[in-house]
Amino acid sequence: MPNSEAIGMVDQIQLDASLEQPLYRQLADHIRQLIENKQLRQGDRLPATRELSQSLGLNRNTIQTAYGLLESSGLVHSEIGRGSFVSGQAAPAAEISFATSRPRSDLFPMDDFNSSVEEVLRGEEARELLQLGSPGGYAPLRRYLLEQARREGTAQDSDDILITSGCQQALDLLQRTFAPAGSTVIAEDPVYPGLRNVFERAGVRLIGLSQSNLSGHLAAAIANEKPALVLLTPSFQNPTGSTLNEAERRALARILKQSNTLLAEIDLYSGLRYRGEALPTLRALEPGLHSLLLRSFSKVAFPGLRVGYLLGPSREVRQLIETRHWVDLHSDQFSQAVLLRFAESGRLAQHQKRMVEAGRLALDAALEACERELPASVHFTRPEGGMNLWLTLPAGMNAEALLPRARQLGINYLPGRFFALQAAADHALRLSFAGLEPAHIREGIARLSKVIREELDRRARNASPDLDLAIV
Amino acid sequence: MPNSEAIGMVDQIQLDASLEQPLYRQLADHIRQLIENKQLRQGDRLPATRELSQSLGLNRNTIQTAYGLLESSGLVHSEIGRGSFVSGQAAPAAEISFATSRPRSDLFPMDDFNSSVEEVLRGEEARELLQLGSPGGYAPLRRYLLEQARREGTAQDSDDILITSGCQQALDLLQRTFAPAGSTVIAEDPVYPGLRNVFERAGVRLIGLSQSNLSGHLAAAIANEKPALVLLTPSFQNPTGSTLNEAERRALARILKQSNTLLAEIDLYSGLRYRGEALPTLRALEPGLHSLLLRSFSKVAFPGLRVGYLLGPSREVRQLIETRHWVDLHSDQFSQAVLLRFAESGRLAQHQKRMVEAGRLALDAALEACERELPASVHFTRPEGGMNLWLTLPAGMNAEALLPRARQLGINYLPGRFFALQAAADHALRLSFAGLEPAHIREGIARLSKVIREELDRRARNASPDLDLAIV
């Protein structure tokens, strides 16, 4: 095939759906698919990295990493001075993806959703929903959420709410409003990549604290770093799935209050608790805390509608609304009204109950499979809810290096590197289990175990000759 | 009333719906309403500016400007060293607002909208719309819009589309991707305040060119300023309503192409042409132009759904999608699918036809009333479409200073200052006519004329003594 055709095909990549999927992975997947569909065949030359980097407008490193990935999965080989060539076909397999922290779409209650939409359409306000609205959000939804938060003790009378386009926008607005370039922000390490990206791209210094002893380190970190903002996810953190106990929450709230540091408390998963007792937010534990609470309908209901919210003192919320005005005016009002109807009608509570039942089965399947399948040298967190757990491979094993083999066996996950701030997490990986059925979770973890055991075997084999040599 | 109560009430302001409404105006309106509702009464002391500035988290200047506005409308008076006090009641009047560039909600075709929603709900993809989607937008909508743009000659095969949350987000993404802090951007002067705010807040140097001879000045401006981006609105520009003729478009496209400068062509209003012949976009006139086209469903259909798009070379669109990923992941997919259905079904074209008919009546009412009512010393643009026209008052008359009196008479508009870059526009104002019925437009312009004539009279009276003095 002439190279111009190959670049034409490779060029047509569309950036894809999944949240944390890095660009190099998307490019590699695209090329993998071209090979699997026989649009690229054995012996075809891939576009030169320089050429492709220019035509895609991506960094050349990104292209090289993608090619490296394809090479390590055996799909592509490089010939020095000549370029990269297609080697052959990869084994086709129905992929079980642990890569995205999202709900199962087959659990979406479509009848209830449809009823909510129809009720909104029949409502008196339908017409005004289509007109230009308020930067703070659809007023009846704001009132409803604020009232609910007051009843549960998370909001005070003087608090206010800003409806955001999901939690991702809330993070972006926080950065733009309270953490300018050059400022410092403290977060958990490892942390959600969307958080890391927002602050790093804006030139903010991001300091990571290990979740294992947050309260032991937070006071000193605040004193040393004078952060503009501290971001914490006390319940079922992404990626670790860990939850802070009540004593730890109290200790953290006290430290934050004493230093009068602004806290952004990310609370997306606490509605998805499958075992154990519910815990209060830091915000509810310490009423004088200077804090903002980030919540969303994306985990417990429908991520595609992009509705989240930010609750806090009206002064800070007003500043965030001012920023938001110039970012995109406001969120889609129709979806805000539909979610309000879905919640008000009690349908959200019913759906949440079903989500918790399904989540418990998924979590049990994941933990049982991890116990049963994985080598004893692999450690994993045991969350009581949420969507993610965190696997730590034996020392020296690299989760990203295992990924090509994992994908050959039809599984996918995000390696630890994407979540790491200061502490290296190359030997860790995130398993997002909540989007999968229990049978697939079991099968996927069995395959993952196979990948890890193969690697342990390989290392054992390689270790012996070294040992022999050392003895001689 | 004790001052703590007054601050409690003033404090409860909610930032409001209208797009370009500045904060001080919102605060003044809120206090005006408190006075009109008799929640604040004659003799009540307003909160001290320092105190209110702290509790609202706003600049003290903002508070002072709001108080000044209330003072000039006679609702409030200040006593040196004591503070500001409520004077009395303003004349109540049903306000005719020319302040927002938006469609009439009573023209929204609710039956057609409902049918589109129901068809989406019945479709096979409904469930997947609620799942996490793609940063670039809902793929079928992207394909539809791209195909449409290709048919009209505005897009080439290698182009791509990013769905944005309205044109405001497109501007924000352009700034973040192509015009970093410290860079220079060229735009029209006067210009849409949302554009000015995005770039100025980000620390971009914004150079304004008068629309009257753009092609005469653009080449030199590009050579001198080396802009990262040029933003132009060739059809029915906001705020002036002006349209560039085809020769001017060709000249501008040539200059931009020769200098290989990136153009963002804002094309929100061209679908709302009430008279005259449609004109091609710069992008269609000059295929080799390095340009991005910004369009939206907000003017021609439903602003509340926040769906716009950005069309351009796939390389630049890909960079914008990368930025967008970390801003808010993607736009609401349900509304994207509904708008696609609304367009595909032919309902959008029908609605657009009705919008054009109604717009023509509104424009005729506005131009006829301006001709008939306004003093000859007032000039105004004569747009052939869109939503806005631009009034220039007699030299030395300040549009903002007239606003308190205008509001007493029950009309509202945005003074020129909000649209000005380098050239002062204090003596100008924007009349957004498309959101109003013809009868209200006529009545509103009659009232505006009264305000201007009163001011001319006042100036004539004041001028005479000066003249007398000069003679003596």
Side-chain angles (χ1 to χ4, degrees):
Chain A
M1 172 188 295
N3 191 45
S4 60
E5 269 186 54
I7 196 170
M9 285 192 302
V10 172
D11 228 331
Q12 271 162 35
I13 179 177
Q14 300 272 337
L15 286 172
D16 118 351
S18 58
L19 172 46
E20 299 96 349
Q21 187 88 311
L23 284 174
Y24 77 81
R25 161 93 45 225
Q26 294 180 37
L27 178 58
D29 283 354
H30 176 65
I31 296 173
R32 179 193 312 275
Q33 205 147 34
L34 291 174
I35 297 172
E36 278 167 14
N37 300 345
K38 313 216 174 180
Q39 292 171 274
L40 285 174
R41 288 157 185 278
Q42 195 165 351
D44 282 345
R45 188 156 80 82
L46 293 182
T49 54
R50 180 184 303 275
E51 190 184 0
L52 191 56
S53 130
Q54 275 174 5
S55 79
L56 291 180
L58 295 175
N59 193 295
R60 205 173 158 194
N61 259 335
T62 307
I63 316 288
Q64 281 162 345
T65 312
Y67 282 13
L69 209 62
L70 291 165
E71 210 170 314
S72 57
S73 71
L75 282 171
V76 157
H77 63 278
S78 65
E79 296 180 23
I80 290 167
R82 291 196 57 226
S84 294
F85 295 84
V86 175
S87 303
Q89 298 285 321
E95 187 175 85
I96 296 172
S97 175
F98 292 101
T100 312
S101 179
R102 64 177 185 184
R104 274 167 58 182
S105 13
D106 63 317
L107 296 178
F108 292 154
M110 296 310 292
D111 287 348
D112 280 357
F113 178 77
N114 294 3
S115 303
S116 305
V117 170
E118 280 157 20
E119 286 160 21
V120 168
L121 288 177
R122 279 201 302 271
E124 279 180 15
E125 281 215 305
R127 187 180 293 276
E128 282 314 308
L129 292 173
L130 306 184
Q131 186 54 281
L132 199 62
S134 162
Y138 178 53
L141 179 62
R142 288 169 77 182
R143 278 197 296 273
Y144 176 86
L145 294 171
L146 200 51
E147 189 44 50
Q148 198 189 38
R150 279 182 189 138
R151 274 199 310 272
E152 70 172 47
T154 311
Q156 296 170 331
D157 283 348
S158 57
D159 289 334
D160 199 356
I161 273 183
L162 158 62
I163 307 291
T164 59
S165 294
C167 176
Q168 186 68 40
Q169 188 180 50
L171 295 171
D172 188 50
L173 295 174
L174 284 171
Q175 184 276 310
R176 296 176 120 189
T177 311
F178 299 119
S183 67
T184 299
V185 157
I186 293 179
E188 294 134 338
D189 189 2
V191 78
Y192 164 60
L195 186 160
R196 191 181 86 170
N197 268 285
V198 161
F199 289 95
E200 280 186 353
R201 284 171 71 104
V204 174
R205 235 174 103 245
L206 204 47
I207 306 289
L209 296 184
S210 158
Q211 272 188 307
S212 59
N213 183 11
L214 272 176
S215 64
H217 296 111
L218 185 62
I222 288 175
N224 294 334
E225 307 290 353
K226 313 218 173 352
L229 185 66
V230 172
L231 294 129
L232 296 177
T233 309
S235 297
F236 317 128
Q237 195 249 9
N238 180 1
T240 64
S242 303
T243 289
L244 306 175
N245 65 32
E246 190 166 331
E248 179 76 350
R249 288 174 193 230
R250 284 192 191 281
L252 290 167
R254 223 169 11 245
I255 294 166
L256 287 159
K257 190 181 175 188
Q258 274 164 11
S259 61
N260 196 25
T261 307
L262 181 59
L263 167 70
E265 183 171 7
I266 302 171
D267 188 39
L268 307 183
Y269 295 103
S270 67
L272 298 175
R273 172 176 280 282
Y274 314 134
R275 316 214 157 280
E277 288 292 309
L279 289 166
T281 58
L282 272 66
R283 184 158 227 281
L285 280 174
E286 190 71 68
L289 196 63
H290 187 204
S291 81
L292 294 154
L293 194 69
L294 277 62
R295 287 179 165 171
S296 171
F297 287 96
S298 294
K299 304 299 176 183
V300 92
F302 314 116
L305 300 186
R306 315 296 316 124
V307 179
Y309 57 101
L310 225 154
L311 184 157
S314 42
R315 177 197 167 97
E316 278 74 16
V317 171
R318 198 174 295 113
Q319 290 175 277
L320 289 159
I321 291 175
E322 199 183 342
T323 305
R324 203 268 162 88
H325 194 165
W326 303 115
V327 164
D328 63 355
L329 302 189
H330 62 80
S331 288
D332 178 4
Q333 296 193 111
F334 191 73
S335 288
Q336 291 183 68
V338 168
L339 282 171
L340 172 60
R341 195 65 214 118
F342 187 70
E344 273 181 345
S345 60
R347 292 172 190 131
L348 173 61
Q350 279 171 32
H351 175 54
Q352 187 170 350
K353 222 175 128 193
R354 285 188 297 261
M355 289 282 287
V356 167
E357 284 161 20
R360 184 182 299 122
L361 295 176
L363 175 66
D364 289 352
L367 293 178
E368 282 162 23
C370 284
E371 296 278 7
R372 188 175 59 241
E373 306 280 352
L374 296 174
S377 52
V378 176
H379 300 286
F380 52 94
T381 54
R382 285 166 179 79
E384 295 190 318
M387 296 188 160
N388 305 289
L389 58 84
W390 186 246
L391 239 79
T392 312
L393 302 174
M397 203 180 278
N398 183 306
E400 193 160 12
L402 297 188
L403 203 44
R405 176 62 183 144
R407 301 199 64 157
Q408 276 180 342
L409 295 183
I411 59 167
N412 193 10
Y413 56 79
L414 272 191
R417 182 168 74 76
F418 293 98
F419 306 94
L421 294 180
Q422 280 82 37
D426 294 345
H427 62 310
L429 60 95
R430 184 187 74 174
L431 286 189
S432 298
F433 58 82
L436 297 169
E437 293 174 40
H440 290 153
I441 294 172
R442 285 186 209 101
E443 171 63 23
I445 290 175
R447 292 184 197 171
L448 175 63
S449 181
K450 182 170 153 63
V451 174
I452 299 170
R453 287 179 193 278
E454 282 176 5
E455 176 67 8
L456 285 172
D457 288 351
R458 198 189 61 76
R459 285 149 58 103
R461 277 197 309 277
N462 288 352
S464 317
D466 285 353
L467 199 62
D468 287 346
L469 281 173
I471 289 174
V472 168
Chain B
M1 169 187 298
N3 191 44
S4 59
E5 267 185 56
I7 195 170
M9 285 191 302
V10 172
D11 227 331
Q12 272 162 34
I13 178 176
Q14 300 272 339
L15 287 171
D16 120 350
S18 58
L19 172 45
E20 298 97 348
Q21 187 88 311
L23 285 173
Y24 76 83
R25 161 92 46 224
Q26 293 179 38
L27 178 59
D29 283 355
H30 176 64
I31 296 172
R32 178 194 312 274
Q33 204 146 36
L34 291 173
I35 297 173
E36 278 168 13
N37 300 345
K38 313 216 172 178
Q39 293 172 270
L40 286 173
R41 287 157 185 280
Q42 195 165 352
D44 282 346
R45 189 157 79 84
L46 293 182
T49 54
R50 182 185 303 274
E51 189 184 2
L52 192 58
S53 132
Q54 275 172 5
S55 80
L56 292 179
L58 294 176
N59 193 296
R60 207 173 156 194
N61 257 334
T62 307
I63 317 287
Q64 280 163 344
T65 312
Y67 282 14
L69 208 61
L70 290 164
E71 211 170 313
S72 58
S73 71
L75 283 170
V76 158
H77 62 278
S78 64
E79 295 179 25
I80 290 165
R82 292 197 56 226
S84 295
F85 295 84
V86 175
S87 304
Q89 298 284 322
E95 188 176 84
I96 296 171
S97 175
F98 292 100
T100 312
S101 178
R102 64 178 185 183
R104 276 169 58 183
S105 14
D106 63 316
L107 295 178
F108 293 154
M110 296 310 293
D111 288 347
D112 281 357
F113 178 77
N114 294 3
S115 304
S116 305
V117 170
E118 280 157 20
E119 286 160 20
V120 167
L121 290 176
R122 280 201 302 273
E124 281 180 14
E125 282 216 306
R127 187 179 293 276
E128 282 314 307
L129 292 172
L130 306 184
Q131 186 54 280
L132 199 63
S134 163
Y138 178 53
L141 179 62
R142 287 169 78 181
R143 278 197 297 273
Y144 176 86
L145 294 171
L146 201 51
E147 188 44 50
Q148 197 188 39
R150 279 182 190 137
R151 274 198 310 271
E152 69 173 47
T154 311
Q156 296 170 332
D157 283 348
S158 57
D159 288 334
D160 199 356
I161 272 182
L162 158 62
I163 307 291
T164 60
S165 294
C167 176
Q168 186 68 40
Q169 187 181 50
L171 295 171
D172 187 50
L173 294 174
L174 284 172
Q175 183 276 309
R176 295 174 125 195
T177 311
F178 299 120
S183 67
T184 298
V185 157
I186 294 178
E188 292 134 340
D189 189 3
V191 78
Y192 164 60
L195 186 159
R196 193 182 83 172
N197 269 285
V198 161
F199 290 94
E200 281 185 354
R201 286 171 70 104
V204 173
R205 234 175 103 244
L206 204 47
I207 306 290
L209 296 184
S210 157
Q211 273 189 308
S212 60
N213 182 12
L214 272 175
S215 64
H217 296 112
L218 185 62
I222 288 175
N224 294 335
E225 307 290 351
K226 311 216 175 355
L229 186 65
V230 172
L231 294 129
L232 297 176
T233 309
S235 298
F236 316 129
Q237 197 249 8
N238 180 1
T240 63
S242 303
T243 290
L244 305 175
N245 66 33
E246 188 166 335
E248 179 75 350
R249 291 176 190 229
R250 284 191 191 281
L252 291 167
R254 224 171 9 246
I255 294 166
L256 288 158
K257 189 179 175 188
Q258 274 165 10
S259 61
N260 197 27
T261 307
L262 180 59
L263 166 70
E265 183 170 8
I266 302 172
D267 188 39
L268 307 183
Y269 295 103
S270 67
L272 298 174
R273 172 175 280 282
Y274 314 135
R275 317 212 156 281
E277 287 292 308
L279 289 166
T281 58
L282 271 66
R283 185 159 225 281
L285 280 174
E286 190 70 70
L289 195 62
H290 189 204
S291 81
L292 294 154
L293 194 70
L294 278 61
R295 287 178 166 172
S296 171
F297 287 97
S298 294
K299 303 300 175 183
V300 92
F302 314 117
L305 301 186
R306 313 298 316 126
V307 180
Y309 58 101
L310 223 154
L311 184 158
S314 41
R315 176 197 167 97
E316 280 72 18
V317 171
R318 199 175 293 113
Q319 290 174 278
L320 289 158
I321 291 175
E322 201 183 340
T323 305
R324 204 269 162 84
H325 194 165
W326 304 115
V327 164
D328 64 354
L329 302 190
H330 62 80
S331 288
D332 178 3
Q333 295 193 113
F334 191 71
S335 289
Q336 290 183 67
V338 169
L339 282 171
L340 172 59
R341 195 65 213 117
F342 187 70
E344 271 181 347
S345 60
R347 292 173 190 130
L348 173 60
Q350 278 171 30
H351 176 54
Q352 186 169 351
K353 220 175 132 194
R354 285 187 298 261
M355 288 282 287
V356 167
E357 284 161 21
R360 184 181 301 124
L361 295 177
L363 175 66
D364 288 352
L367 292 178
E368 282 163 23
C370 284
E371 296 277 7
R372 188 178 55 242
E373 305 281 351
L374 295 175
S377 52
V378 176
H379 300 286
F380 52 93
T381 54
R382 285 165 179 79
E384 297 190 318
M387 296 187 160
N388 305 289
L389 59 84
W390 185 247
L391 238 79
T392 312
L393 301 174
M397 203 179 279
N398 184 307
E400 195 160 12
L402 297 187
L403 204 43
R405 176 62 183 144
R407 299 198 65 156
Q408 277 181 342
L409 294 184
I411 58 167
N412 192 12
Y413 55 78
L414 274 192
R417 184 169 74 78
F418 294 98
F419 307 92
L421 295 180
Q422 280 82 34
D426 293 345
H427 62 308
L429 60 94
R430 184 187 75 175
L431 286 190
S432 298
F433 57 83
L436 296 169
E437 292 173 40
H440 290 153
I441 294 171
R442 285 187 210 101
E443 172 62 24
I445 290 175
R447 293 184 197 172
L448 175 64
S449 181
K450 181 169 154 64
V451 174
I452 299 169
R453 288 179 193 278
E454 281 177 4
E455 175 67 10
L456 284 172
D457 288 350
R458 197 188 61 76
R459 286 150 57 103
R461 277 197 308 276
N462 288 352
S464 315
D466 284 354
L467 199 65
D468 287 347
L469 281 174
I471 287 173
V472 170

